[in-house]
Amino acid sequence: MSAAVLLCALSQSVIACSAPVDQAAASAVNQGASAVGTGVLSLDLLAKERAGTPVVETGLEDMAEELDTVRKEFLDNVPATTDERALHREVDAALERAQGALSLARQTLASKDTSAGPDNPPSLANARAALAASAKELETLRQRLGTGR
Amino acid sequence: MNRPRNTPTSLKSPPSVGGPVLDAQLHLLDRQVIDVDGLPVTTVDDIELEGVEADLPISLGARAPVISALLTGPVLGTRIFGGRPPSSRLIRLPWHDVSAVDVTVRLGVRSESLSASWVERWVRDKIIRRIPGGKHDPD
Amino acid sequence: MILTDVLGSRVLNSEGDLLGRVADARFVLDQPPGQLLAGARLQGLIVSPHSAGSFMGYERNDVTRPWPIAQILKWWHRGSFLVLWEDIEIMGPETVRLREGFTAYHPGLQGAGPGQAPQR
Amino acid sequence: MKRLLGVALGILTAIGGFVDIGDLVTNAVVGSRFGLSLIWVVGVGVVGICLFANMSGRVAAVSGRATFEVIRERLGPRAGLANLGASFFINLMTVTAEIGGIALALQLVTSIHHLLWIPVGAFAVWLVIWRVRFKIMENVAGLLGLCLVVFGVALFLLQPDWGQLAGQAMAPAVPQTESAAVYWFYAIALFGAAMTPYEVFFFSSGAVEEGWKVKDLVQSRINVLAGFPLGGLLSVAIAGCAAVVLLPAGIEVTSLSQIVLPVAEAGGKLALALALIGILAATFGAALETTLSSGYTLAQFFGWSWGKFRRPVRAARFHLSMIICLVVAIGVLATGADPILITEYSVVFSAVALPLTYLPILIVANDPQYMGKHVNSRAVNLAANVYLVIILVASLAAIPLLIITGAGA
């Protein structure tokens, strides 16, 4: 097992070290778009009553974890030039908005479960809209940057 | 690596013999040993020869050595990694307990009585027997 | 002594020339029976000029499949021969020395070996 | 009539038992990133596993020797031990992945975090191995695994553009968003997932467990030749669902929760429930098979007594070693290691180890000393030789591609 972990760490560090900022940005945007897209699809399925809460909840949790990792890894890249710094800021902001949208969706779902705060329930529609906006933003970025592969 | 250059070129047919022929590597070593009840006991990790001493000259006309026992246990480790276990640590399956050799080596005795199965017995008595259900057939 | 000590030993003729390495030991079940099976007498050693490991014995039987693995291994062990116990002067973990004027025999086994597949 | 039922049952369990966490994850990942353009690999893998599973089953039925006894006898202790080390390591990795898969599936059903399910899943696996008869264990897991057919149904309900899917499958090409190295990396992963060595260890040991004789060979051949390709179709359906729903949405599969989304989209909650049952059964069944395979390989190498047909006290070290494997798997998963990542590595390492398993089987299947008149036919040998070349290439290319592509990232 340790050999596998070592190899994984090795290959990952090779990527992290060798990847220039624009490639890292493309890869982070690609993964972020995938995570947010999953969130949109999950909420749609929940709204259409095609999937139960456990599946959607787990899916959102998985995606939130993934986004956290993606953003953390992206932040390990240090931009050198002005252009790179701008791109870095742009992508990081988009990832942060994606994180926000996902956590809003998770809160909504959780509050629906416990029916806490009936006065002002954050609605699923709001959460979906936030996720969809983030998905659109990341998709535009992805069009511009490619998948980084 | 110095290649042998004195390999004999013409080979004679071997003399006929009065019994089945076994090549140790091909037919004995690493074969599964099964007891009289069909229970696997161990594998043949090595073979002990009686009637010949290592590196001592053999007198002309001396009787051929015979297999005194099949060996198992720590000898496997030394066979893989080198060295030799002390003679006292060899676990022997005496040849007179062997009843047949085909794709397995079969014994004519029960494994319960063999020193080769002490680890199995220890694990059984100290651990497996104490877990509920270990003594019964699966349902 | 222990058999695998001898396997892999260098085989020398009486003048000390290297002939190869011990690839296997051949036994004959023709001794007075112990209880259940005849005693196993050392008939001799199989010497391979090319490598110590007896790799599956293709040089000693007539199995030719799977092609080409059988052919490659047979070739690898070409030149193997059998020396009888009577021609062995000294046997040890490093070297095996043969007597003067030893005879080299065909290493071939008749048939597939002692055990046929048991019909279960 | 009874015989016909037996055949039908055998085929059904072979279908349900074919898919495990490795097939599930790898096929979904590939479908979501490459569409059906890698599906030809599943075909290559299925033919290979049919060939060699059949061969190992025949060796076991005719000679009574299971695969790892044969490996030790043929390769000797040194190469045999190296082989045992590699096979056992990969097998343990697969056990870990399957138990992680059980836990992830249970999380999808209950919302309770999968870390909490890991000890429960591992304990259930042990209990079944400890107490349930081999035949029942195999049949129940296999039949429940058939629920995965819902992936095939979902694919139809999604009403995809069949022409486009067929085009991807028939004229494979590297998608523009992916590099050639990543494409071939996933080709090897799919191949490794379809041909995992544990299936052969399990299949041959299972033949001994069930006491197969020469006359049972016909039925086993039917089971394999019908069951495995149909199981392979399930794999294709999983990839197809991902290709139809996830690929256009730009979703790349990284978790089990994403794999079931297309089924929900197509068939709603009922289909989703069936898919979850199927995944649970498939991972649970595979966890049983891989845990047993760990015990089989160790016991067969060292000559210990083994087998579920014996009561545990008659195969003490065999049972103890499986308990230890399960504890190790729990330990690894408790560190928070991602089961999906472990799965992806396990299928690639499986591909690396393939020649170690399949070469000795081929050699013994040709040895009249073991096989009598049931040695391989020329046609089987020809096909096996072709596969050995493929296996060797995949094995040699796996690690370099793993490093170049950063595990396909």
Side-chain angles (χ1 to χ4, degrees), chain B residues 3-4 6 12-13 17 20-25 46-47 49 54-55 58 60 62 64-67 84 95-96 98, chain C residues 1-5 17-18 24-27 29 35 38 40 42 49-50 60 85 89 91-92 99 104-106 114:
Chain B
R3 286 228 166 249
N6 307 288
K12 291 191 181 173
S13 296
V17 288
V21 172
L22 288 178
D23 278 5
Q25 293 256 37
D46 212 330
I47 291 166
L49 291 181
D55 292 330
I58 299 157
L60 207 60
V66 292
I67 297 178
R84 173 149 5 127
W95 184 258
H96 61 72
V98 175
Chain C
M1 69 183 293
I2 292 178
L3 182 74
T4 55
D5 278 353
D17 302 321
L18 183 64
D24 210 338
R26 179 161 297 173
F27 293 89
L29 300 180
Q35 283 176 340
L42 180 72
H50 299 288
R60 278 170 269 166
W85 163 252
E89 192 175 17
M91 222 162 92
R99 295 184 201 277
Y105 293 98
H106 258 294

Side-chain angles (χ1 to χ4, degrees), chain D residues 34-41 43 161-174 183 233 236:
Chain D
F34 301 88
L36 290 189
S37 66
L38 267 169
I39 242 42
W40 58 271
V41 180
D161 180 347
W162 292 105
Q164 193 198 345
L165 283 184
Q168 286 174 3
M170 295 303 156
V174 184
Y183 181 87
L233 274 186
V236 175

Side-chain angles (χ1 to χ4, degrees), chain B residues 4 6-8 11 23, chain C residues 6-13 17-26 44-54 59-60 76-84 87-88 91 96-98 102-108:
Chain B
N6 307 288
T7 314
L11 302 180
D23 278 5
Chain C
V6 184
L7 298 179
S9 290
R10 291 143 46 89
V11 180
L12 310 175
N13 65 12
D17 302 321
L18 183 64
L19 300 176
R21 285 175 183 272
V22 179
D24 210 338
R26 179 161 297 173
L45 300 175
I46 311 279
V47 182
S48 164
H50 299 288
S51 100
S54 148
E59 79 284 9
R60 278 170 269 166
W76 188 252
H77 276 284
R78 70 201 182 281
S80 297
F81 57 94
L82 168 73
V83 284
L84 298 185
D87 284 332
I88 297 171
M91 222 162 92
V96 170
R97 188 189 289 272
L98 304 181
F102 73 91
T103 319
Y105 293 98
H106 258 294

Side-chain angles (χ1 to χ4, degrees), chain D residues 25-202:
Chain D
V25 170
T26 320
N27 279 287
V29 170
V30 164
S32 73
R33 287 176 57 171
F34 301 88
L36 290 189
S37 66
L38 267 169
I39 242 42
W40 58 271
V41 180
V42 176
V44 178
V46 165
V47 173
I49 191 74
C50 285
L51 189 66
F52 283 98
N54 226 335
M55 217 184 286
S56 69
R58 185 154 38 88
V59 171
V62 174
S63 71
R65 318 275 24 105
T67 298
F68 227 91
E69 297 174 29
V70 163
I71 288 178
R72 161 104 188 249
E73 275 174 27
R74 291 285 107 174
L75 298 186
R78 220 173 270 170
L81 186 73
N83 195 335
L84 177 72
S87 304
F88 186 77
F89 168 73
I90 292 157
N91 207 46
L92 193 57
M93 215 160 143
T94 317
V95 173
T96 311
E98 307 289 355
I99 290 177
I102 298 173
L104 288 176
L106 284 170
Q107 183 180 10
L108 286 179
V109 180
T110 60
S111 286
I112 297 171
H113 197 273
H114 67 266
L115 277 179
L116 297 175
W117 281 115
I118 285 163
V120 180
F123 182 74
V125 168
W126 172 76
L127 204 60
V128 170
I129 288 176
W130 187 252
R131 290 302 298 151
V132 179
R133 245 187 310 157
F134 188 85
K135 197 83 208 165
I136 298 179
M137 171 196 101
E138 212 187 5
N139 289 348
V140 171
L143 290 180
L144 285 175
L146 275 182
C147 290
L148 290 174
V149 170
V150 76
F151 276 94
V153 177
L155 189 57
F156 278 93
L157 291 177
L158 287 167
Q159 295 173 329
D161 180 347
W162 292 105
Q164 193 198 345
L165 283 184
Q168 286 174 3
M170 295 303 156
V174 184
Q176 285 180 346
T177 48
E178 306 283 352
S179 72
V182 175
Y183 181 87
W184 287 106
F185 173 76
Y186 276 107
I188 287 172
L190 268 184
F191 189 62
M195 285 198 71
T196 7
Y198 86 79
E199 292 182 52
V200 167
F201 300 142
F202 181 76

Side-chain angles (χ1 to χ4, degrees), chain D residues 164-333:
Chain D
Q164 193 198 345
L165 283 184
Q168 286 174 3
M170 295 303 156
V174 184
Q176 285 180 346
T177 48
E178 306 283 352
S179 72
V182 175
Y183 181 87
W184 287 106
F185 173 76
Y186 276 107
I188 287 172
L190 268 184
F191 189 62
M195 285 198 71
T196 7
Y198 86 79
E199 292 182 52
V200 167
F201 300 142
F202 181 76
F203 197 76
S204 72
S205 306
V208 177
E209 293 260 23
E210 294 182 355
W212 282 7
K213 315 260 189 309
V214 173
K215 67 176 170 56
D216 300 316
L217 282 175
V218 176
Q219 178 169 348
S220 101
R221 191 168 303 159
I222 296 173
N223 290 353
V224 167
L225 293 185
F228 283 4
L230 290 172
L233 274 186
L234 283 187
S235 303
V236 175
I238 293 167
C241 282
V244 171
V245 175
L246 305 180
L247 178 67
I251 295 172
E252 295 177 358
V253 168
T254 52
S255 76
L256 195 64
S257 50
Q258 291 164 307
I259 298 176
V260 295
L261 292 180
V263 178
E265 167 90 37
K269 280 184 179 167
L270 180 65
L272 183 61
L274 284 174
L276 290 177
I277 294 173
I279 291 175
L280 200 55
T283 48
F284 195 85
L288 294 171
E289 294 183 4
T290 48
T291 307
L292 281 166
S293 294
S294 307
Y296 290 146
T297 49
L298 277 181
Q300 288 163 12
F301 180 85
F302 290 108
W304 305 338
S305 172
W306 57 270
K308 273 184 60 54
F309 64 96
R310 299 188 165 99
R311 50 187 74 166
V313 286
R314 301 270 281 168
R317 282 176 287 187
F318 170 66
H319 274 278
L320 178 64
S321 61
M322 290 191 292
I323 293 174
I324 293 173
C325 286
L326 286 171
V327 170
V328 170
I330 294 176
V332 171
L333 290 166

Side-chain angles (χ1 to χ4, degrees), chain A residues 1-4 7-8 10-12 15 30-31 33-34 37-38 41-42 45 48-55 57-59 61-63 65-66 142 147 149, chain D residues 33 89 93 96 107-111 113 177-178 245-246 250-252 254-255 257-258 260-261 264-266 268-269 272 276 332 341 345 349 402-403 406 409:
Chain A
M1 199 59 55
S2 56
L7 251 175
C8 167
L10 189 78
S11 53
Q12 230 111 67
I15 305 266
N30 191 45
Q31 284 172 278
S34 165
T38 306
L41 179 58
S42 303
L45 291 173
K48 286 188 277 183
E49 295 208 350
R50 298 200 149 209
T53 324
V55 168
E57 214 166 48
T58 310
E61 187 184 328
D62 290 344
M63 292 309 112
E65 264 173 44
E66 189 175 327
R142 173 151 72 177
T147 55
R149 292 201 178 99
Chain D
R33 287 176 57 171
F89 168 73
M93 215 160 143
T96 311
Q107 183 180 10
L108 286 179
V109 180
T110 60
S111 286
H113 197 273
T177 48
E178 306 283 352
V245 175
L246 305 180
I251 295 172
E252 295 177 358
T254 52
S255 76
S257 50
Q258 291 164 307
V260 295
L261 292 180
E265 167 90 37
K269 280 184 179 167
L272 183 61
L276 290 177
V332 171
L341 203 63
Y345 277 92
F349 283 121
L402 178 80
I403 294 172

